[in-house]
Amino acid sequence: MKTGIIYFSATGTTKALAEAVSRGLSGNVHFMDVTLPESRKNGIIVDNDLTIIAAPVYGERIPGFLFDFFHRIKGNGTPLAAISVYGNMGFGISLQQYREFAEDNHFRLIAAGVFIGQHTYATKMAPVAYGRPDEYDLQQARRFGESIQKKMDRGDGTPVFLPATVLPRFITAFPDSGIRLLIRQPRVKEAGCISCGVCALKCPMGAIDFRTLKIHEQKCLRCYACVKVCPKAARIAEFRFPMFRSAFNRLGAKRKENQIFL
Ligand SMILES: Cc1cc2nc3c(=O)[nH]c(=O)nc-3n(C[C@H](O)[C@H](O)[C@H](O)COP(=O)(O)O)c2cc1C
């Protein structure tokens, strides 16, 4: 069996979970990392027996630019498993989006999973989903892979049943760019920066100028790839107002569990 795993992962949690799922599969598994802009230039026509798509949830949905890219992946009637990774707040409408995507792009959505990854904005003072995926999450992801494999081996192409998500209208109406109201773009701490350019190299939107290391305000997702990748911890990330941090911490305090649908 040939499986293609397509994933976007700005800070590594989705990647870790996608790899754990792959450990439950047999046959030939190949990964396609679509985190950097060059990797999303062309569309994809899959020739896999199974495709797995994994992406983080931003603003209770699949980030818009990524969802647009996904629409250039054509399934040819083959099975699809979808993975949403979220930071212990909510996975929102992301599964419904995968269902619509599958219908539009000739995939059969046979499995879906929502898994928790450390929240992008977690810190020691606001440790939302800190350290996740942990060992237990990774084991569950592996088991999810095993269940998908069994379903494939049975030749069972039954479409997955997904729970309906009802979200307050204001959340779905909130544009992707709304995050800029809450989170500042990461700035450079001059004293620590050695101008190595890794932040520019690893920016999923190509939003950082290689020469000046300035970030393009409109392109910046606030995904914190640049913050996490800086070898000198010289990128500073902040909430716009300190009260947001305590609200964030409160909202994300209670541990949520992964869910799988088959
Ligand atoms: C712009 C933005 C919006 C986010 N929105 C949500 C959200 O609505 N719900 C949630 O639980 N986590 C949210 N997160 C957290 C990420 O989904 C989570 O940290 C995920 O593990 C990141 O995946 P990655 O490490 O593969 O980049 C958001 C993160 C970012 C950067």
Side-chain angles (χ1 to χ4, degrees):
M1 187 177 106
K2 190 171 157 200
T3 302
I5 303 186
I6 301 169
Y7 71 90
F8 174 96
S9 187
T11 57
T13 62
T14 307
K15 180 179 184 206
L17 285 157
E19 285 173 351
V21 171
S22 79
R23 289 195 281 276
L25 300 168
S26 40
N28 175 359
V29 180
H30 64 98
F31 288 89
M32 186 172 175
D33 179 357
V34 296
T35 309
L36 294 180
E38 310 82 71
S39 60
R40 300 190 301 269
K41 274 199 178 129
N42 301 316
I44 305 172
I45 297 171
V46 302
D47 67 342
N48 308 309
D49 301 305
L50 167 71
T51 300
I52 298 180
I53 296 186
V57 173
Y58 285 0
E60 305 273 328
R61 72 201 85 165
I62 302 167
F65 76 92
L66 195 57
F67 201 44
D68 290 346
F69 167 71
F70 287 167
H71 271 90
R72 293 196 277 129
I73 308 173
K74 303 294 172 205
N76 285 331
T78 54
L80 172 75
I83 300 173
S84 274
V85 179
Y86 73 107
N88 206 53
M89 297 289 182
F91 56 88
I93 56 169
S94 59
L95 292 186
Q96 274 76 17
Q97 288 181 297
Y98 278 119
R99 186 169 50 202
E100 283 162 30
F101 158 74
E103 279 165 17
D104 292 349
N105 287 267
H106 303 105
F107 279 107
R108 277 181 292 125
L109 186 64
I110 62 156
V114 287
F115 290 88
I116 316 286
Q118 176 168 317
H119 199 292
T120 311
Y121 307 135
T123 59
K124 286 200 174 113
M125 285 160 79
V128 177
Y130 214 70
R132 296 184 75 183
D134 55 24
E135 266 318 302
Y136 180 67
D137 296 319
L138 295 173
Q139 261 179 38
Q140 288 195 319
R142 185 199 168 112
R143 283 204 201 106
F144 179 50
E146 288 167 358
S147 306
I148 299 171
Q149 184 66 56
K150 282 189 191 136
K151 192 164 179 177
M152 288 295 292
D153 290 346
R154 287 197 304 271
D156 179 355
T158 321
V160 65
F161 176 79
L162 296 176
T165 309
V166 183
L167 276 182
R169 209 177 147 69
F170 80 91
I171 291 184
T172 42
F174 204 63
D176 282 12
S177 59
I179 195 71
R180 294 191 212 127
L181 302 174
L182 308 179
I183 307 285
R184 287 184 209 282
Q185 63 163 242
R187 60 190 169 84
V188 174
K189 190 163 59 180
E190 297 294 347
C193 176
I194 53 167
S195 302
C196 66
V198 171
C199 54
L201 211 60
K202 296 288 180 184
C203 174
M205 301 307 281
I208 305 182
D209 186 287
F210 277 88
R211 204 175 46 82
T212 63
L213 302 183
K214 285 222 160 60
I215 301 179
H216 189 291
E217 172 65 7
Q218 310 305 318
K219 285 188 191 168
C220 175
L221 297 171
R222 293 355 183 214
C223 72
Y224 282 21
C226 57
V227 176
K228 305 271 157 87
V229 86
C230 176
K232 296 289 177 189
R235 282 266 176 204
I236 306 164
E238 293 160 323
F239 282 96
R240 268 196 203 283
F241 305 103
M243 66 178 184
F244 287 159
R245 191 177 62 201
S246 44
F248 165 76
N249 196 23
R250 238 189 352 268
L251 281 170
K254 193 166 182 292
R255 180 184 170 104
K256 293 197 169 80
E257 293 304 337
N258 311 306
Q259 295 177 62
I260 63 173
F261 308 94
L262 278 153

